[in-house]
Amino acid sequence: DLATALNNRGQVRYFRVEFAAAMEDYTAAIECLPGFEVPYYNRGLVLYRLGCFDEAIKDFRKVLELNPQFEDAALSLKQAILDKEEKEKRGY
């Protein structure tokens, strides 16, 4: 389906370090199929790598709302919260 194809293309772009293009694909996949948790997770990973912790946390929480058993999302959420707190302690 289209949402899966967009997510997969986003993965290719992510691996090519084309983060803006990857995020566009993940967002398009979400718009096609809002209940598909994988593109939220993938977009959250890009946001995390870019240091956009609040946005990444929001995406990881959405994944867990859609699929509470998504363990990688739970781990990524915890790490994003820790890194956000560390960043705030350092005053960045």
Side-chain angles (χ1 to χ4, degrees):
D1 65 58
L2 181 58
T4 300
L6 288 164
N7 181 72
N8 291 345
R9 186 173 69 180
Q11 283 294 95
V12 170
R13 290 175 164 175
Y14 175 79
F15 292 131
R16 291 181 180 165
V17 195
E18 298 170 0
F19 293 149
M23 286 208 329
E24 287 175 14
D25 284 340
Y26 298 142
T27 300
I30 290 164
E31 290 168 357
C32 281
L33 192 61
F36 183 25
E37 72 272 19
V38 176
Y40 288 100
Y41 175 71
N42 290 332
R43 187 174 68 181
L45 291 176
V46 174
L47 291 163
Y48 174 83
R49 285 195 60 181
L50 295 173
C52 301
F53 298 123
D54 288 330
E55 294 90 340
I57 289 166
K58 184 177 174 186
D59 274 351
F60 295 142
R61 284 188 172 142
K62 182 64 176 182
V63 172
L64 293 170
E65 175 187 313
L66 293 168
N67 179 359
Q69 307 307 314
F70 201 125
E71 290 183 27
D72 286 345
L75 292 171
S76 295
L77 174 61
K78 287 178 188 172
Q79 192 60 54
I81 291 169
L82 288 172
D83 289 352
K84 178 187 174 189
E85 290 170 356
E86 187 63 29
K87 182 179 176 183
E88 289 170 351
K89 283 181 195 171
R90 294 182 182 182
Y92 302 161

